[in-house]
């Protein structure tokens, strides 16, 4: 399968614990995006990378959240001191950006986080 | 800031009925507009897109026209099937290759 993959698919944790999610983009894609989706809502943008550079972060991304893409391939999203309000589906997407042309974002299946 | 508003669901239709899901947007400049679909148990997939005013995006019998004068991008299909049952999301993007801003989604249920 050459699509975007995410691991784990489900995570249950207790309030106050740290969690880390991984995203593996489509191999030739240089852009990687993180979104968060709560029940009944559309995905909300969190952050995105071009290669290893983090180009934009949403105000939603509090200082408890950190994302990395150290070698410009896979990315990790860490949430420290989780809160019940962090419970959501965390989506990763990737795209191939070439100059100013439009580039489709391909989404992974998501990681569902439940904070007890 | 930029935003997308969709008609609320759920929308329930009989097979072969006509579908319209309304979408309006607020954005500066000239965004690109998209419809994404999420089938039960699956990830988001791009359904169609339009990158400039008056463009019509189409795919799998679905169509949407980018109307700048009404800031709208309504999704239509002439004859829905049970297999079209899914959640549909309207989205915009202002900077090519940048973040997507989604509406809240509209659930469609098609009954045989």
């Amino acid at each position: 399968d050459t699509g975007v993959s995410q691991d784990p698919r489900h995570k249950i944790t207790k309030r106050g614990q740290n969690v880390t999610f991984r995203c593996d983009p489509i191999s030739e894609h240089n852009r990687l995006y993180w979104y968060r989706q709560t029940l009944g809502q559309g995905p909300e943008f969190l952050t995105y990378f071009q290669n290893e550079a983090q180009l934009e972060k949403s105000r939603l991304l509090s200082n408890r959240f950190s994302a990395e893409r150290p070698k410009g391939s896979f990315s990790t999203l860490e949430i420290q001191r989780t809160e019940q309000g962090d419970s959501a589906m965390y989506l990763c997407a990737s795209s191939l950006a070439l100059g100013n042309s439009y580039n489709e974002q391909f989404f992974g299946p998501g990681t569902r986080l439940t904070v007890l | 800031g930029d935003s997308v508003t969709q008609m609320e669901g759920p929308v329930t239709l009989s097979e072969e009925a006509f579908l319209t899901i309304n979408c309006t947007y607020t954005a500066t400049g000239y965004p690109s507009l998209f419809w994404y679909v999420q089938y039960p148990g699956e990830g988001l997939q791009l359904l169609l897109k339009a990158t400039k005013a008056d463009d019509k995006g189409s795919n799998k019998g679905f169509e949407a026209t980018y109307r700048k004068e009404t800031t709208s991008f309504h999704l239509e299909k002439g004859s829905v099937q049970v297999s079209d049952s899914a959640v549909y999301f309207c989205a915009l993007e202002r900077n090519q290759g940048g973040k997507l801003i989604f509406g809240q989604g509209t659930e469609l249920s098609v009954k045989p």
Side-chain angles (χ1 to χ4, degrees), chain B residues 13-89:
Chain B
L13 295 174
S14 298
E15 206 165 23
E16 300 184 0
F18 184 85
L19 169 71
T20 300
I21 300 178
N22 290 338
C23 170
T24 57
Y25 69 90
T26 302
T28 55
Y30 301 91
S32 296
L33 300 173
F34 308 87
W35 278 99
Y36 277 80
V37 60
Q38 189 168 36
Y39 297 103
E42 298 185 15
L44 277 167
Q45 303 173 26
L46 179 65
L47 180 60
L48 54 82
K49 68 180 188 293
T51 56
K52 61 182 187 295
D54 300 325
D55 268 1
K56 178 185 283 188
S58 61
N59 186 26
K60 299 182 180 180
F62 290 89
E63 293 183 340
T65 301
Y66 187 161
R67 302 285 188 202
K68 186 160 172 49
E69 64 275 14
T70 54
T71 62
S72 65
F73 192 55
H74 304 321
L75 182 68
E76 297 182 335
K77 187 174 186 183
S79 176
V80 293
Q81 305 300 312
V82 172
S83 57
D84 294 326
S85 298
V87 182
Y88 292 82
F89 294 93

Side-chain angles (χ1 to χ4, degrees), chain A:
Chain A
D1 185 20
T2 57
V4 178
S5 61
Q6 294 187 243
D7 183 68
R9 295 291 303 275
H10 303 272
K11 178 71 178 178
I12 300 174
T13 191
K14 293 182 179 178
R15 186 164 50 95
Q17 298 295 303
N18 299 344
V19 294
T20 300
F21 310 140
R22 177 181 170 122
C23 171
D24 286 272
I26 293 171
S27 59
E28 65 269 23
H29 284 185
N30 54 359
R31 286 199 175 173
L32 187 148
Y33 309 78
W34 286 99
Y35 295 85
R36 181 173 68 185
Q37 185 177 19
T38 53
L39 200 61
Q41 299 297 315
E44 295 175 296
F45 170 77
L46 294 178
T47 187
Y48 87 94
F49 295 83
Q50 176 149 324
N51 300 314
E52 63 274 10
Q54 191 171 21
L55 295 189
E56 186 175 352
K57 292 197 307 185
S58 165
R59 285 190 296 272
L60 290 175
L61 212 65
S62 78
N63 55 13
R64 296 185 298 106
F65 287 69
S66 63
E68 294 183 340
R69 195 184 184 199
K71 297 181 180 178
S73 57
F74 73 91
S75 174
T76 57
L77 177 68
E78 181 184 19
I79 309 174
Q80 296 182 328
R81 304 181 303 282
T82 52
E83 301 173 356
Q84 288 184 325
D86 298 331
S87 295
M89 179 75 87
Y90 289 83
L91 300 172
C92 178
S94 71
S95 70
L96 178 61
L98 297 172
N100 287 328
S101 63
Y102 162 74
N103 47 98
E104 179 181 348
Q105 294 184 27
F106 292 82
F107 283 80
T111 294
R112 181 169 296 285
L113 172 66
T114 302
V115 181
L116 302 176

